[in-house]
Amino acid sequence: MTSKTEQAGQADRTGQAEAAAEALGYEQARDELIEVVRRLETGGTTLEESLALWERGEELAKVCRSRLDGARARLDAALAEETAGAGRAEDGDGGR
């Protein structure tokens, strides 16, 4: 059984790891995720190492999803702005 001090330390390390993962750019997170998957597929790690790799992979996948969702939102906003701008231009040309 783990003590409250050990649990608090583990929670702190998990929070630090998640914050470090969030600081990565998409390409960095993707490349590290590829390496984590390669190591898991290769095998030869202990159960604890495999679990740590899995957890890191989950963090990296979350970062990749977040970055892609952000990029998608930016593209959607740009397209909506372009569409709205085209609509305004057509309205302005209607009196000619």
Side-chain angles (χ1 to χ4, degrees):
M1 187 178 257
T2 59
S3 70
K4 288 185 179 185
T5 304
E6 289 174 311
Q7 290 173 348
Q10 184 176 359
D12 186 46
R13 284 189 300 278
T14 300
Q16 290 172 353
E18 288 176 1
E22 283 293 324
L24 294 175
Y26 171 77
E27 289 81 6
Q28 293 169 311
R30 180 204 57 213
D31 291 346
E32 188 177 340
L33 179 57
I34 289 168
E35 179 61 20
V36 165
V37 170
R38 186 197 63 75
R39 288 183 61 196
L40 285 169
E41 288 178 341
T42 301
T45 58
T46 66
L47 177 60
E48 282 300 315
E49 291 169 333
S50 294
L51 287 172
L53 285 169
W54 179 271
E55 289 169 347
R56 181 62 177 165
E58 288 292 328
E59 292 168 4
L60 293 166
K62 185 167 47 167
V63 169
C64 289
R65 276 192 302 273
S66 174
R67 298 287 185 261
L68 289 172
D69 289 345
R72 184 175 295 118
R74 288 176 57 194
L75 286 171
D76 289 346
L79 290 172
E81 186 176 307
E82 183 178 303
T83 301
R88 283 192 300 268
E90 288 175 9
D91 290 342
D93 290 340
R96 289 187 189 186

